[in-house]
Amino acid sequence: MVEWGFALRIVIVGLSVVFSVLITLAIIMRLMGVLYLKRDKMKPLLTRVGIRRPEAPVEPEEEEVVAPTSEEIAAISAAISAYLEKPRADLEEPRVEGPRKPMGHVQVSRWVLADRKELMNASTRRKVPRWGSSANSNWTLVAREELMRR
Amino acid sequence: MFGSFQTGIGALTLGHLIMIGIGFVLIYLSIAREIEPYELLPIGFGIIIANLPLTGIMALPTGEMGVGGLLGIIYNYGLYLYTILPPIVFLGLGAMADFGSLLGNPKTFLLGAAAQAGIFTSFLGALLLGFKIPEACSIGIIGGADGPTTIYTTALLAPDLMGINAVAAYSYMAMVALIQPPIIKALTTKEERRVVMKELRAVSRLEKIMFPLVALVFIVLIAPRAAPLIGMFMLGNLFKESGVVPRLFKASQNELMNIITIFLMVCIGASMSAEIILHPKTLFILGLGLAAFAIGTGVGVLFGKLMNNFSKEGINPMIGAAGVSAVPMAARVVQKLGSEADPKNNLLFHAFGPNLAGVVGSATVAGVFLGMVG
């Protein structure tokens, strides 16, 4: 003889448990997702209540304006001279690099060659060379910006 | 001349021959049709070897020394007595599961819960057909479309039904592509099948790590007897999502999972002797299992329709059908039907959400059954 009362209780309890468990998990994970997405906005809540420490303004790193040294100008001139002495076919090369050491940060492009006088007189803005720093690799672009500004 | 030597030929019965034939059919289906080969091939082999007479291979260990047949020992200690094999399979399944799609759209947890309706209707159906309550629980859980959950529940509540319940569960999982489409099409319009769902949001690693821990604590507090299944499942998933134990993660989803699958499936097959299987109630179990799948699919789709009506963002009702578990076949069925309705519609990842919620849901229901009946 089947105990129908007990059987129905199993059905009701089973359905209630499975729905309540999965709904609660859905709510918890939804909340966790919302909190995670808004974690930046929630940060002040995690600091001391009522005291919101103002964040120090982030100032852009000032770039030092340095004119090319006489050594650099000499290196550039040498590179340009070497470039101009090349046969026409070689001039189609997209880029000619200056000596790597000791002036590894100097790089001459064809664009620069278009107006060497401008370049020689340029007060060129660039970072102070630090060997191994990526700041040294962009010298040509800086020179180009300067010429454009003029 | 041969003295006490005895062949098995004289002991063969018609029942043995029928069961050996069934074993061959399962092996054929797994090799020629590639239907659930990792399960049906060893099960088919187990059926054949168990139904060859006089082998003693399924003899349960007796006496102090525990002497028994090879498969009898594995069956006894792995399933009948201690029931440790199914939870270890769950460890591997957890390591394979990616909850990203479920966490990306937590509403789909509900679809996983709705699809468990099939379990309870089959449970009531089994009672109407004269099965006892523990047997009805083990038959109903077939509708969870989750092999290890079915085996675990059956091993604890109705060990005599182990073989047929396991085969029914795995067979219907393999036949999801045949069972589900007509039900889904009957319950949805073409417009509903065309509903395009919003792209899932990216889920952070932190959320994926937190989920197995939160789910473990919460589910096991509510349904403590689900601990072996849910615990192993979430442990496997934590191995995966933590990213710091790649060897454990790999071992869980490959080596350990494969070894246990061999033992478990051969034993399941070997438990299907002619005396147990060739019985009218086997047909009832197969019928009730099919009904559980069908009802679970139908209720999942109807719940999807309901959610679609109340949701601002469209929910394709078909993804409700994936709530019956059967990972990943049910999700693939949804994707196929979705792309038939609209070739640009990609529902696969949306369907994985209810798919995995269904795994968690059916393990929770198993915990309820074991808690109330076991």
Side-chain angles (χ1 to χ4, degrees):
Chain A
M1 186 65 188
V2 178
E3 296 173 52
W4 284 104
F6 182 51
L8 285 176
R9 216 168 72 208
I10 291 174
V11 173
I12 292 165
V13 171
L15 280 173
S16 314
V17 166
V18 77
F19 267 96
S20 57
V21 161
L22 292 183
I23 288 172
T24 312
L25 276 178
I27 293 169
I28 293 172
M29 296 320 293
R30 175 77 185 147
L31 283 175
M32 202 175 280
V34 169
L35 288 177
Y36 186 78
L37 290 174
K38 295 188 175 175
R39 61 193 180 283
D40 290 335
K41 288 183 185 171
M42 303 299 288
K43 266 181 189 169
L45 295 177
L46 301 175
T47 57
R48 286 168 64 190
V49 180
I51 300 174
R52 190 168 177 177
R53 192 177 299 166
E55 289 181 7
V58 179
E59 291 178 6
E61 192 182 339
E62 281 194 16
E63 292 181 337
E64 217 171 313
V65 177
V66 182
T69 62
S70 56
E71 286 173 325
E72 285 172 343
I73 291 171
I76 293 167
S77 301
I80 291 168
S81 303
Y83 181 80
L84 293 176
E85 281 168 17
K86 284 191 176 180
R88 179 74 190 163
D90 288 348
L91 291 180
E92 295 306 314
E93 283 176 13
R95 181 172 283 239
V96 176
E97 288 191 1
R100 273 279 171 205
K101 282 185 179 178
M103 304 302 297
H105 57 287
V106 176
Q107 202 173 37
V108 181
S109 75
R110 293 184 70 196
W111 192 91
V112 173
L113 294 174
D115 203 335
R116 57 187 290 196
K117 263 192 174 178
E118 284 287 323
L119 179 67
M120 291 303 129
N121 297 327
S123 162
T124 309
R125 198 159 60 92
R126 64 173 171 78
K127 290 191 173 183
V128 176
R130 281 167 294 171
W131 299 110
S133 158
S134 61
N136 300 325
S137 62
N138 215 16
W139 196 88
T140 310
L141 286 176
V142 174
R144 178 177 161 179
E145 274 175 18
E146 181 65 23
L147 288 171
M148 288 289 283
R149 194 176 60 77
R150 290 170 170 224
Chain B
M1 181 180 157
F2 291 99
S4 61
F5 179 75
Q6 198 181 0
T7 67
I9 298 169
L12 262 180
T13 62
L14 181 63
H16 289 141
L17 290 174
I18 292 172
M19 289 309 298
I20 290 170
I22 291 171
F24 274 109
V25 168
L26 292 184
I27 290 175
Y28 166 78
L29 290 175
S30 63
I31 296 172
R33 301 289 172 88
E34 293 191 24
I35 295 175
E36 296 283 334
Y38 285 93
E39 287 80 24
L40 294 189
L41 194 141
I43 287 178
F45 192 87
I47 292 174
I48 293 172
I49 202 166
N51 284 283
L52 291 169
L54 308 180
T55 59
I57 201 162
M58 268 303 277
L60 296 179
T62 52
E64 285 183 7
M65 295 296 288
V67 178
L70 170 68
L71 298 181
I73 292 171
I74 300 171
Y75 179 83
N76 191 56
Y77 294 114
L79 276 173
Y80 187 71
L81 212 54
Y82 300 119
T83 325
I84 58 169
L85 298 181
I88 298 176
V89 174
F90 247 57
L91 178 75
L93 293 178
M96 289 180 192
D98 184 347
F99 282 102
S101 44
L102 183 60
L103 302 180
N105 187 5
K107 274 182 282 189
T108 54
F109 270 104
L110 285 173
L111 296 170
Q116 306 310 315
I119 294 178
F120 296 102
T121 24
S122 280
F123 165 72
L124 292 174
L127 291 177
L128 282 173
L129 288 172
F131 287 95
K132 294 171 189 162
I133 284 182
E135 291 174 335
C137 290
S138 74
I139 294 167
I141 208 80
I142 296 173
D146 198 323
T149 305
T150 304
I151 295 167
Y152 183 73
T153 312
T154 308
L156 291 171
L157 295 180
D160 287 347
L161 304 183
M162 176 94 73
I164 190 63
N165 279 5
V167 169
Y170 282 112
S171 304
Y172 292 140
M173 279 163 68
M175 288 195 284
V176 153
L178 297 174
I179 298 168
Q180 288 196 318
I183 299 167
I184 295 172
K185 283 183 179 174
L187 294 175
T188 53
T189 63
K190 197 165 185 184
E191 289 307 310
E192 285 171 330
R193 293 198 290 276
R194 274 188 190 148
V195 172
V196 176
M197 292 182 69
K198 191 182 156 192
E199 197 178 335
L200 290 168
R201 75 170 175 87
V203 176
S204 67
R205 182 167 169 251
L206 179 67
E207 286 170 88
K208 286 186 173 182
I209 290 172
M210 286 305 293
F211 176 71
L213 297 169
V214 171
L216 170 74
V217 172
F218 189 70
I219 296 173
V220 173
L221 278 176
I222 302 291
R225 294 293 300 274
L229 293 174
I230 292 291
M232 288 292 108
F233 192 69
M234 296 308 170
L235 177 63
N237 194 248
L238 189 61
F239 283 164
K240 179 188 179 209
E241 300 302 347
S242 68
V244 294
V245 283
R247 282 184 287 123
L248 302 187
F249 163 54
K250 187 172 159 286
S252 304
Q253 68 163 350
N254 292 318
E255 294 87 350
L256 188 58
M257 174 91 161
N258 293 339
I259 291 168
I260 299 299
T261 300
I262 293 169
F263 289 146
L264 183 61
M265 296 307 154
V266 174
C267 285
I268 293 291
S271 69
M272 295 175 69
S273 63
E275 297 77 36
I276 293 173
I277 299 300
L278 298 178
H279 194 278
K281 70 180 180 186
T282 301
L283 291 177
F284 290 151
I285 293 171
L286 291 174
L288 288 165
L290 182 61
F293 258 69
I295 293 167
T297 302
V299 174
V301 172
L302 291 175
F303 209 83
K305 284 172 78 129
L306 189 72
M307 285 175 69
N308 187 35
N309 289 337
F310 287 98
S311 175
K312 287 178 196 166
E313 300 153 4
I315 290 180
N316 193 310
M318 287 195 298
I319 66 168
V324 294
S325 309
V327 184
M329 290 84 79
R332 284 187 194 147
V333 168
V334 173
Q335 162 66 17
K336 188 169 173 282
L337 291 177
S339 59
E340 274 175 20
D342 178 359
K344 291 175 190 168
N345 205 355
N346 190 351
L347 294 173
L348 187 65
F349 288 102
H350 296 286
F352 275 139
N355 221 193
L356 288 167
V359 176
V360 176
S362 56
T364 308
V365 174
V368 173
F369 281 162
L370 294 171
M372 295 186 77
V373 182

